[in-house]
Amino acid sequence: MHVTVLGKSPSWQDAAGACSGYLVEEDGFKLLLDCGNGVFSKLRRICDYVDVDAVVISHLHADHFLDLVPYSYALSYAPRQQPVPVAGWPGTDDPARPELYVPSGATGVFRAIVGCWGNDDLIENAFRLHEYSASDELGLGPLRIRFCEVPHYTVTYAVELSSNGSRFTFGADCSPNRQLVQFARDTDVLMIEATLPRPERTGVRGHLTPGEAGEHGRLAGARKLVLTHYSDEMDREWARAQAVGSYGGPVELAEEGAVYTV
Ligand SMILES: [Zn+2]
Ligand SMILES: [Zn+2]
């Protein structure tokens, strides 16, 4: 399984960057994990968007799903997707319509958002929309998908993708918690958020510091730890040192374009 980082920014993009998005490929099957703002453009640099088989969204924060909007417009209005010849494209009776897996209740949220400008069914028409819940296990092509609800400001799922006994665990966004540690136990790669330079001043937790991310990796026994969801305004080497100190081993920092083979 190959995991390409399309975007790793937190809720505001790095300069020339994108928010949460990872392309997972196995045996020619392509799965997009999260589709935050900026991700559709990054996806197009390395892969034809009509070739994506499935999209999985971890939670309904803008930085994890907002580019479903331009992606839906492409699937709906691109000349190549039309049933009749147009602009040099031959016309198709089988336009691409990737599977889209979203947390329960997302359909209504999408309708409310794109409904603001009268496009209520934009996303559900562009994709084959499925809502999932925590207990679901999906078989998508050669990949098996499991979910684990983690504490955050809205209903949020960590996601495990596995194939041939290899496991990639994405922690999504979360406050310090035991659920992710248990879910990621002995995983091959734990991709974990390291959003905060210090814990939230309000005392209401929703994210991790790099030191806390390292601690989760150590407690889970993750074989490899990759920090993500950090800003280009955070000092990388400070973040790495914090995480190494609590993880007890080398730590990588996700960068756009990086490919992890699991
Ligand atoms: Zn986020
Ligand atoms: Zn979030």
Side-chain angles (χ1 to χ4, degrees):
M1 176 177 9
H2 301 283
V3 181
T4 303
V5 179
L6 301 178
K8 64 81 179 162
S9 304
S11 55
W12 67 103
Q13 287 122 307
D14 296 347
C19 292
S20 185
Y22 307 87
L23 183 65
V24 182
E25 296 172 276
E26 171 79 350
D27 286 343
F29 189 88
K30 296 184 194 312
L31 183 148
L32 177 62
L33 176 58
D34 275 353
C35 191
N37 31 318
V39 166
F40 186 62
S41 163
K42 304 290 182 179
L43 174 71
R44 294 197 64 192
R45 292 181 72 169
I46 63 166
C47 159
D48 196 334
Y49 62 88
V50 297
D51 291 337
V52 171
D53 297 288
V55 181
V56 175
I57 301 295
S58 66
H59 67 295
L60 298 177
H61 274 159
D63 54 321
H64 296 257
F65 82 90
L66 205 60
D67 263 20
L68 288 177
V69 175
Y71 199 164
S72 296
Y73 278 122
L75 293 169
S76 303
Y77 298 115
R80 62 199 296 185
Q81 290 281 92
Q82 305 311 310
V84 294
V86 59
W89 295 91
T92 177
D93 54 12
D94 185 27
R97 198 171 172 224
E99 310 288 340
L100 171 59
Y101 292 87
V102 293
S104 299
T107 307
V109 174
F110 293 160
R111 282 183 188 154
I113 292 170
V114 289
C116 287
W117 59 88
N119 264 157
D120 307 49
D121 53 5
L122 173 74
I123 294 173
E124 62 203 72
N125 285 344
F127 293 90
R128 296 179 207 278
L129 187 59
H130 314 273
E131 297 192 348
Y132 68 79
S133 54
S135 60
D136 288 344
E137 284 198 33
L138 310 177
L140 301 180
L143 299 171
R144 291 213 60 79
I145 320 291
R146 292 197 306 136
F147 302 99
C148 171
E149 188 170 352
V150 289
H152 188 44
Y153 301 116
T154 188
V155 176
T156 299
Y157 296 95
V159 182
E160 177 189 273
L161 299 99
S162 60
S163 176
N164 296 320
S166 298
R167 293 165 61 209
F168 172 77
T169 307
F170 173 58
D173 290 358
C174 61
S175 60
N177 71 92
R178 302 292 300 178
Q179 298 93 307
L180 180 59
V181 168
Q182 195 170 9
F183 184 62
R185 177 84 58 209
D186 298 328
T187 191
D188 294 294
V189 176
L190 175 57
M191 179 80 76
I192 189 167
E193 70 128 291
T195 310
L196 302 173
R198 60 180 175 190
E200 293 88 344
R201 268 176 295 176
T202 59
V204 179
R205 300 303 312 271
H207 289 290
L208 302 175
T209 66
E212 290 167 341
E215 175 81 359
H216 283 65
R218 182 178 62 77
L219 292 171
R223 296 193 171 87
K224 184 186 189 87
L225 190 70
V226 184
L227 305 185
T228 191
H229 204 270
Y230 64 93
S231 168
D232 61 1
E233 296 174 298
M234 184 186 280
D235 184 321
R236 287 172 57 89
E237 293 319 310
W238 173 83
R240 189 195 308 275
Q242 294 286 310
V244 165
S246 52
Y247 177 55
V251 172
E252 296 196 24
L253 275 71
E255 281 184 74
E256 285 183 18
V259 180
Y260 296 95
T261 300
V262 185

